Amino acid sequence: MLYSLLLVPGSTGQFMKSLPVVASIVFAISLMEALLVLPSHLNHKIKEGKAAKLYAPFARVKRFHDAMTDGLDRLRDVTYANQIQLDISIVILY
């Protein structure tokens, strides 16, 4: 469906060319959110007992989600923060 928009000729085609790209990116991010974030939120509501056994397969997803969250936190707090400090120090020197 979206691929056909890439094939539209002329100025209309150039205008419509970004639509399938953006829509594909949005759909991919939405899928990642549905697979990684939503099960983690659902896992917080699970209590001990039958529900815990029913949702046991999501424990692996939650561990993966927690690992990804920790990695992104480290990226933000260490790598990105160091790069920002370096950039600011370079700007101040000039």
Side-chain angles (χ1 to χ4, degrees):
M1 176 174 92
L2 294 174
Y3 179 71
S4 60
L5 291 175
L6 289 171
L7 302 175
V8 176
S11 62
T12 305
Q14 288 183 354
F15 178 74
M16 298 288 279
K17 189 180 287 187
S18 62
L19 182 64
V21 174
V22 171
S24 298
I25 292 170
V26 168
F27 289 149
I29 291 171
S30 177
L31 178 64
M32 287 176 20
E33 191 275 335
L35 294 175
L36 299 176
V37 177
L38 184 61
S40 177
H41 288 298
L42 292 175
N43 203 12
H44 288 294
K45 296 183 180 207
I46 297 172
K47 304 292 181 193
E48 295 295 325
K50 291 182 182 179
K53 290 179 185 176
L54 179 65
Y55 290 106
F58 290 115
R60 239 177 36 193
V61 174
K62 184 175 182 338
R63 284 194 305 271
F64 177 74
H65 173 265
D66 291 343
M68 291 293 291
T69 302
D70 292 343
L72 288 172
D73 286 344
R74 276 193 309 275
L75 179 70
R76 179 196 65 216
D77 296 339
V78 177
T79 307
Y80 184 67
N82 290 341
Q83 185 63 43
I84 293 295
Q85 288 176 352
L86 178 66
D87 292 344
I88 290 172
S89 66
I90 289 173
V91 169
I92 290 174
L93 289 175
Y94 291 108

